[in-house]
Each structure stands twice: as C-alpha cells, then as structure tokens.
Amino acid sequence: MTLPDKLFIDGTWRKSATSRTTKLVNPATEEVFAEVEAADISDVNMAVESAHRAWEGGWRDMTPGKRTEILFNVARTLREHIDELGQLEMLQIGKPISDARDEAGLGARCFEYYAGAVTKFYGQTVPVSRGGFDFTLRQSMGVVAAIVPWNFPFPIAAWKVAPALAAGNCVVLKPASLSPLTALKLGELAHAAGLPSGVLQVLPGSGGAIGDALVTHPLVRKVSFTGSTEIGRRIMELASRDIKRVSLELGGKSPNIVFADADWERAAETSPMSVFANTGQDCCARSRVFVERSIFERFVEKFVSATKKLVVGDPAKTDTQLGPMVSASQRGSVEDFLADARKRGSKFICGGVRPHPKGYYLEPTVLLDVGKEDRCWKEEIFGPVVAITPFDDEAQMLREVNSSPYGLSGSIWTNNLSRAIRVSRAVQSGVLSVNCHSSLHVEAPFGGFKQSGLGRDLGMAAMEGYTEVKNVYVAE
Ligand code: NAD
Ligand code: MN
C-alpha cells in the first residue's frame, strides 16, 4: 500500500509550495510511519481557484442524472477500498480496525444516500396572494471549505463532501494535521471514479497555518466545520466579515439518563461503549451519567464490570474495542483532567492509568462524586472518562442536564412512554436516543443546540445547508 504524501489539487498530486511536512506517528507504537506535505497559503489559493473553475466550468450545471451517476461510482469505488481506508485510519489515529472498516463503509453509504438525493431534492411552488406563478429553486453556492477533525476523519469528511457535491458545489477539504491520509485517499478515489478535476481538492496541513486563508478566501461561500468549540467560534468570527455561510459541529458533554423503570441492566451493560468508544474521543460521548437513586449502586456495579471487560489494546486486532488515544498531547490533556479529579476528591472506581508501556493508551476511567463545579463535570474531556451521579427528582435532574453550555447528544432509558416523550422534549440536545445509544443515521439530521453547533449535517438538512433558496415570480 502506497501512502499519499502530497496535496490533491485539480485532479492530481501536487507538491506543497513550502518544504514543510507533517510527520505522522502511529499512536499504537509511537513510531513515525509517514511524512505528508503541508499546504501553504499559496496552495490554498490555487485549490480554491481551481474549485471555483470546476464549479463554473461544469459541475454547477451538470444534469442531475449525470451527477447521480458519478456520485454512485464514487460510492462503489469507496466500497471496493474499505480495507485500505480502514488500514490508513487505523495507522494514523489508532482506531480499532473493526471500527475503522465500519466507518469506511459509513463514508461510502453517505455517497450512496446523496447520489440518490440529487434527483429527489425539490423546490416548491408557492401560492402567492397576488396570483401568478411563484416557485423556488435550490441553487449551489460555489466553493465550500470543509474543515474536519481527527476523531472520525473519513466519515466526517464524507458526510460533508457528499451532500455539498450532490447540491452542486465544489469542495476544498482540509483534514486535521494528524489525519490527512483517508481524506487524501478520498480525493484520489473520487477522481478515479469519475469526479471531474477540481471538484474536490484535499489540502493537508495545519489549521493554524492555512485555516484563516481558507476561511477568508473571497471565493469560499460556505465553511462547513467540525471540531472544537474554540476553533468554531473563531471561524464564525472570520466568516462574519463577508457574511459567509457557516455550519459548525462542535464539542459536547452529553447526558445518559437512566430511570429505575428502564431495562437498566441493559443500559448498564451498553453504556460503557457510549462514552468509551473511540477511546472517548467522540463528540457524542455520554460522559455524564444520571441514574435514579434506587438503582444507582446496582447500576454502577454492572457498568464497572462491563467496563472491565472492554478489550483495550492493539488496534490491528479485530476483537480490540479501545485503541490508544490519538497522541501524547491528547492523552496528557485527559490526564490533567484526572489530576484535577483526584485533587477535588472524586472517587476512581476503575481506570485512570496507562495499561501498556508503549502507545498512547489510557484505561477507561469511571468516576463517582464529581462535584458539579469540577472540570470533569463541566468540560468536554475528549477521552475515556465518565462521571456517574445519582438523581432523585426528574425536574431537578433536567435542570442540571440543561445547565451545560453544550447540547449535542444524549440517551434516555425508560420504559414509560410518556416519560420518554416528555424527557426527549426537555433535553436541550440536537440528537437523542431512547433505550439505546445511537446518535447517527446518514438519513437523519445531526447537530447541536447551544455551543455544540450551528446547522445540521446528514439527512436532507445537510443538502439544504449547501444551497441558497431562490424565489422566482412569474406574472401571468
Ligand atoms: P480542532 O478544533 O482542534 O480542529 C478541527 C479542524 O480545524 C482541524 O482540521 C484543524 O486543523 C482545523 N483548524 C485548527 N485551527 C484552525 C483555524 N484557525 N482555522 C481553520 N481551521 C482550523 O478539533 P480536533 O482537536 O481536531 O477535534 C476534537 C474536537 O472536535 C472536539 O471538541 C469534538 O467534540 C469536536 N467534534 C465535534 C463533532 C460534531 O459533530 N459535533 C464531531 C467530531 C468532533
Ligand atoms: Mn485539537
């Protein structure tokens, strides 16, 4: 397998304008395994201009049928490369290989969904009061900048690129500096599958170096960002100058609410993976667990025994559930949270230590007695750490749930239908699951309330977000 190591611009590999490179470290071995060129501001300009030419030169006006055909070809090609995409993802971020393959499949599924959506994406006819004929068009915007994080590099890239292209835009994709390989592969495979040159460009490199240039480029009409709330805020500020469209998928501190009337044993057995999957590096991680007091102790016992059964280790093994964290600094930042929890007197029920001498591993950690003002309760940890707390009163618990500035995801466990509906309405989050822990469906809108984001990925909502609505009135 040859690893991509350059920029993908205008349908071909290009050297960076600088001699800067990023060394990629395998998080499981701590060894450098690749070096990828890092884009510079002049590369940003070249990529955006080439994307704009591709948009004006044909992609914008291509018939829906043809666009569908090309996007289906992309999906098929991605499916043929699931093993390779999975390997690359595993190498660059330490994701367990079974998850990495599943996520490659999810990326392909996005292209299938949006390939089909092209011909089912309607405007409206509007019965305006003065008569005549009024209709709306959904038109593409032009160049979209898609900026994505390192925790789900391939699927998040796919779920931005596919709807943006389906809606008729061209895309400049900027992967996180830790995870350029699957994004570059996406550019290469999509082009091989028939996507015209320039329609999708991929710029590896650091956000600090090229982020501002990309976001403020006058030909970029929309910035679709997934990452931290801090960088999201900065992007929104920069975009405000030219009133650029932005969509932001940001951090979370999601609740997992377990009522005594639920199948709480199943909740306890499945909840560890709702926070520890991807070694806790998941924006939807259910990192605050609220358990009704009458079942609290039994729940914690089961939760901990399920946690201890999780297989932590070599991401190349198919039965591994938790790989290493992505980097030494990400693990360090989680260990700072743990040090704070120790200082504040939280109870460590399990985990909190490094299980292997090599690799950025960290044992999944269960905390009790975390104070409501403590960092571990309030901030997104982005690592394998959960805080479990008892509650007595539904209304009071909901106030605590909603006191977070975040509002991305969450789970509700109850067998009482009215309560399920009432609590679903009350929790201020964009994506909830009842009696399970799934946040994500390609077909359904995904995104956050409050400081967890703005706009929606996935489903037809994403497609709408990559278009402008035009109203046309024809006199009779
Ligand atoms: P990050 O904000 O550090 O980086 C995200 C991307 O932004 C990267 O590609 C980075 O290079 C780029 N970037 C950095 N500085 C930039 C700048 N000044 N201008 C433009 N781009 C810049 O996030 P991360 O560390 O890669 O990912 C972790 C964060 O992402 C967590 O907070 C997590 O909750 C969030 N996340 C959210 C979702 C969601 O859908 N809501 C999904 C996954 C991750
Ligand atoms: Mn970061």
Side-chain angles (χ1 to χ4, degrees), residues 148 150-151 174 225-228 231 249-251 283 380 382 446:
V148 300
W150 48 260
N151 61 337
K174 199 209 87 62
F225 174 79
T226 297
S228 60
I231 305 291
E249 298 286 357
L250 311 173
C283 52
E380 179 182 55
F382 225 58
F446 175 86

Side-chain angles (χ1 to χ4, degrees), residues 202-280:
V202 188
L203 294 181
S206 109
I210 59 169
D212 287 14
L214 181 57
V215 171
T216 57
H217 195 293
L219 289 175
V220 168
R221 292 312 316 151
K222 160 142 186 175
V223 183
S224 178
F225 174 79
T226 297
S228 60
T229 297
E230 178 198 353
I231 305 291
R233 191 173 287 122
R234 173 171 179 78
I235 285 175
M236 199 166 170
E237 274 167 22
L238 290 175
S240 73
R241 274 197 249 162
D242 295 341
I243 319 292
K244 282 187 198 204
R245 281 62 177 142
V246 288
S247 64
L248 306 170
E249 298 286 357
L250 311 173
K253 190 73 188 176
S254 295
N256 179 8
I257 303 166
V258 186
F259 288 97
D261 64 21
D263 181 349
W264 62 265
E265 298 195 326
R266 194 157 64 87
E269 279 155 14
T270 57
S271 288
M273 279 305 267
S274 80
V275 56
F276 299 137
N278 212 38
T279 320

Side-chain angles (χ1 to χ4, degrees), residues 7 32 43 58 61 80 108 127 139 141 156 162 176-177 179 216 228 242 258 294 300-301 303 320 357 376-377 414 468:
L7 290 43
V32 173
D43 301 311
D61 302 312
E80 287 162 7
Q139 293 193 312
M141 297 168 153
I156 295 181
S177 44
S179 54
T216 57
S228 60
D242 295 341
V258 186
S294 62
V300 170
E301 196 181 311
F303 186 107
T320 293
C376 282
W377 185 256
T414 175
E468 295 283 0

Side-chain angles (χ1 to χ4, degrees), residues 431-455:
V431 279
L432 292 173
S433 53
V434 176
N435 295 334
C436 67
H437 297 293
S438 89
S439 305
L440 203 110
H441 315 270
V442 171
E443 304 80 5
F446 175 86
F449 280 26
K450 301 190 277 186
Q451 292 182 34
S452 284
L454 181 72

Side-chain angles (χ1 to χ4, degrees), residues 332-344:
S333 125
V334 175
E335 287 174 336
D336 287 347
F337 276 98
L338 295 180
D340 187 70
R342 280 197 190 91
K343 202 172 73 198
R344 313 277 291 189

